[in-house]
Amino acid sequence: MELPTPADLRQRRTELGLTQSELADTADVSQPLIARIEGGDVDPRLSTLRRIVNALEKAESDVVRADDLMNEAVVNVSPDDPVKEAARKMEEEAYSQLAVIQDGIPVGSISQSDLVHLDSEARDESVDEHMSESFPTVSKDATLDEISNLLEHYKAVMITEAGETVGIITEADIAARFS
């Protein structure tokens, strides 16, 4: 078993968005002790270090991540598909937008607003002629805060692993999780 260094403790605490006071309260130690441990000024007892590590692990388990929210079944179209196929899938699934995915990689998006002004001839054209930019991508360990910030500007967030699409999250997914 390898014990965390003061730098490890500080990094883990800040990654979790905890203040020294919040960590101290959870670990049942004082905030100045946390500051001195993180600064390397104090070598804590093993029991104190265990309480701090346990508090960090508890905080980590409370964090909602993309993996907890995502839908693994990503309804999508290919850039080569005809626009009418995208329109059919949106209607069939009751979605207002779809990801455009080529070989597992998100390359764009298409929404009802992209299709509303098209004439009947354009519905036979390929999706790539009418698609918009791709939804942003994050990893499975992205936090709810990161995803929420992206959803303020985009209709969906794609979850990728090793470059491959593994899921999607929309505002509806977040609302469903917390309702």
Side-chain angles (χ1 to χ4, degrees):
M1 166 173 60
E2 190 171 319
L3 297 175
T5 66
D8 294 337
L9 293 173
R10 181 184 312 110
Q11 179 182 359
R12 196 162 167 201
R13 177 185 58 77
T14 55
E15 284 174 355
L16 292 168
L18 293 173
T19 65
Q20 288 179 344
S21 295
E22 291 168 334
L23 177 57
D25 288 344
T26 308
D28 199 26
V29 298
S30 70
Q31 179 275 324
L33 179 60
I34 297 290
R36 292 185 4 234
I37 291 170
E38 286 184 354
D41 300 334
V42 171
D43 203 2
R45 293 187 322 216
L46 183 58
S47 60
T48 302
L49 184 59
R50 182 177 296 129
R51 287 199 316 263
I52 293 169
V53 169
N54 287 344
L56 289 168
E57 287 174 353
K58 180 188 180 318
E60 197 166 63
S61 70
D62 292 343
V63 174
V64 177
R65 302 216 178 263
D67 196 27
D68 303 321
L69 297 167
M70 72 179 191
N71 283 309
E72 291 180 10
V74 180
V75 179
N76 67 85
V77 289
S78 163
D80 301 327
D81 287 343
V83 169
K84 63 184 173 190
E85 174 67 11
R88 184 192 65 73
K89 281 188 178 182
M90 279 188 253
E91 185 177 330
E92 191 175 276
E93 299 289 338
Y95 291 160
S96 59
Q97 71 272 332
L98 295 175
V100 181
I101 297 178
Q102 183 171 28
D103 299 324
I105 300 168
V107 294
S109 64
I110 191 157
S111 68
Q112 289 176 339
S113 59
D114 293 327
L115 305 179
V116 75
H117 302 294
L118 299 180
D119 59 27
S120 59
E121 291 177 17
R123 292 192 167 277
D124 290 324
E125 294 174 356
S126 63
V127 165
D128 65 352
E129 294 181 46
H130 301 282
M131 69 185 186
S132 300
E133 69 179 319
S134 180
F135 301 127
T137 61
V138 297
S139 68
K140 284 181 165 186
D141 64 347
T143 64
L144 175 60
D145 286 343
E146 294 167 327
I147 295 162
S148 295
N149 288 337
L150 289 169
L151 287 174
E152 289 178 14
H153 306 286
Y154 299 93
K155 296 175 182 176
V157 175
M158 303 299 297
I159 315 307
T160 58
E161 190 171 53
E164 292 277 321
T165 301
V166 295
I168 188 168
I169 299 172
T170 65
E171 286 181 352
D173 299 317
I174 293 174
R177 166 71 186 239
F178 295 105
S179 64

